Amino acid sequence: MKRACVIGWPIEHSRSPAIHGYWLAHYGIEGSYTKRAVPVDKIETFLRALDAEGLAGCNVTIPHKEAAFRTADVRDPSAVAVGAANTLWLEKGQLCAANTDTYGYMTYLASKVEDWSRRDAPVAILGAGGAARAIAYGFLEAGVSEIRIFNRSAERAEAMAQDFGPRLRVMQWDQRSRASTEASVLVNTTSVGLKGVGSLEMDFADFHPDCIVSDIVYVPLETPLIREARRHGLRTVDGLGMLLHQAVPGFEKWFGVRPEVTDELYEKIAADIEAA
Ligand code: ATR
């Protein structure tokens, strides 16, 4: 029986077991996917013992993503771009690491809006943390010519621009509405709006009518940002789809089947979120 798990500290809130459990049942795979609380000082020991524990690999969440990246023997380009890993697996005895947030975000965006890219239009990213890096990397790989980064503290945005090069432009946080009106996509990667707390205070009045507004926050499913964008008639992309799609590569590595993100899975996890 193949086994995988998600590790974090704390881990209770993780929705990954529900996602992978759904696929295991759906494809009739004899396998298990559990959650394990691993304290910060035990992460390296845990990862080195995956094989001995009978695990094919694991997902990694807060606060272990950077340590997982450092511990891995082989790192894929998305993990290198972000400096953090969320998906680990064993291959020929080596610990391999990827960051599947890039894949999850870009795949869901393209599935919702095939023609999201508007010629010569910039992309606007709010935030400069790990998620912002994963998404910026995705847009750069997709060939976007300019990414505008808006972050509350300028230093982190500057550091991102240093790492990613001249296609990233650091902008003032208080210009996030005015300097995003021509954007093809605006994405919120900050935690503002999580559980309905806080407001990004975006003014969408002058936005290009084809702009797509997306939020990686998925609790609640309709964040204040998404609601405001819809009120202005803009197309929106929620955060739950990214969560579902980022799980795909890991499942395939551990269990040997590339799983599908179906409407049924989406509805199931959405119902869990709404019931919580
Ligand atoms: P993740 O890895 O999930 O991206 P993170 O690295 O902690 O998480 O980054 C959180 C992001 O949310 C940062 O861009 C942070 O801005 P700072 O770099 O200025 O801290 C942003 N953020 C969090 N709370 C915020 C708030 N109240 N207003 C604006 N930005 C906020």
Side-chain angles (χ1 to χ4, degrees):
M1 181 166 102
K2 290 177 185 146
R3 296 168 59 216
C5 65
V6 56
I7 58 171
W9 185 265
I11 196 62
E12 289 74 38
H13 64 279
S14 175
R15 308 209 186 263
S16 291
I19 299 169
H20 291 280
Y22 170 89
W23 282 329
L24 286 171
H26 182 79
Y27 294 104
I29 294 169
E30 214 184 301
S32 79
Y33 185 100
T34 52
K35 51 187 168 190
R36 303 269 286 263
V38 176
V40 173
D41 61 339
K42 296 283 189 304
I43 175 70
E44 205 177 324
T45 315
F46 181 88
L47 293 177
R48 286 286 162 218
L50 281 182
D51 201 23
E53 294 256 347
L55 289 159
C58 61
N59 279 128
V60 180
T61 187
I62 292 165
H64 299 320
K65 291 184 185 185
E66 286 82 11
F69 174 75
R70 286 193 302 271
T71 307
D73 304 311
V74 182
R75 308 170 177 102
D76 98 348
S78 63
V80 173
V82 182
N86 68 351
T87 303
L88 300 179
W89 68 97
L90 292 167
E91 211 168 292
K92 295 181 191 141
Q94 290 196 300
L95 184 64
C96 304
N99 191 314
T100 64
D101 282 342
T102 304
Y103 168 85
Y105 181 81
M106 298 307 291
T107 305
Y108 189 51
L109 175 64
S111 80
K112 295 284 279 187
V113 192
E114 208 182 327
D115 59 343
W116 60 263
S117 173
R118 227 174 49 241
R119 186 193 268 272
D120 295 332
V123 162
I125 298 182
L126 308 184
R133 282 177 175 261
I135 290 169
Y137 178 68
F139 281 122
L140 289 176
E141 288 289 288
V144 167
S145 56
E146 184 183 327
I147 300 177
R148 298 185 180 174
I149 303 290
F150 302 85
N151 198 49
R152 180 180 55 179
S153 53
E155 312 86 69
R156 275 181 111 184
E158 300 284 358
M160 247 180 103
Q162 285 281 323
D163 292 347
F164 285 98
R167 282 193 281 160
L168 255 70
R169 265 182 75 189
V170 178
M171 311 295 287
Q172 301 278 346
W173 175 245
D174 62 8
Q175 295 292 304
R176 62 194 178 281
S177 291
R178 208 152 8 131
S180 300
T181 55
E182 287 307 309
S184 57
V185 181
L186 175 127
V187 51
N188 171 46
T189 73
T190 77
S191 48
V192 178
L194 181 63
K195 298 184 181 157
V197 177
S199 166
L200 287 159
E201 290 168 7
M202 288 298 297
D203 179 1
F204 290 118
D206 296 328
F207 269 54
H208 192 289
D210 290 335
C211 179
I212 297 145
V213 176
S214 78
D215 201 334
I216 70 161
V217 172
Y218 55 86
V219 182
L221 271 178
E222 187 183 62
T223 60
L225 180 78
I226 295 278
R227 193 178 326 121
E228 190 60 14
R230 284 182 182 154
R231 206 170 66 76
H232 282 85
L234 300 175
R235 291 173 295 177
T236 60
V237 176
D238 64 79
L240 179 55
M242 174 184 175
L243 177 77
L244 302 178
H245 282 279
Q246 65 78 34
V248 167
F251 190 92
E252 184 180 23
K253 292 276 184 207
W254 309 315
F255 302 114
V257 172
R258 192 160 185 90
E260 208 186 328
V261 174
T262 56
D263 290 346
E264 187 184 72
L265 173 62
Y266 183 98
E267 293 307 331
K268 179 179 156 46
I269 305 299
D272 285 355
I273 289 169
E274 268 151 21

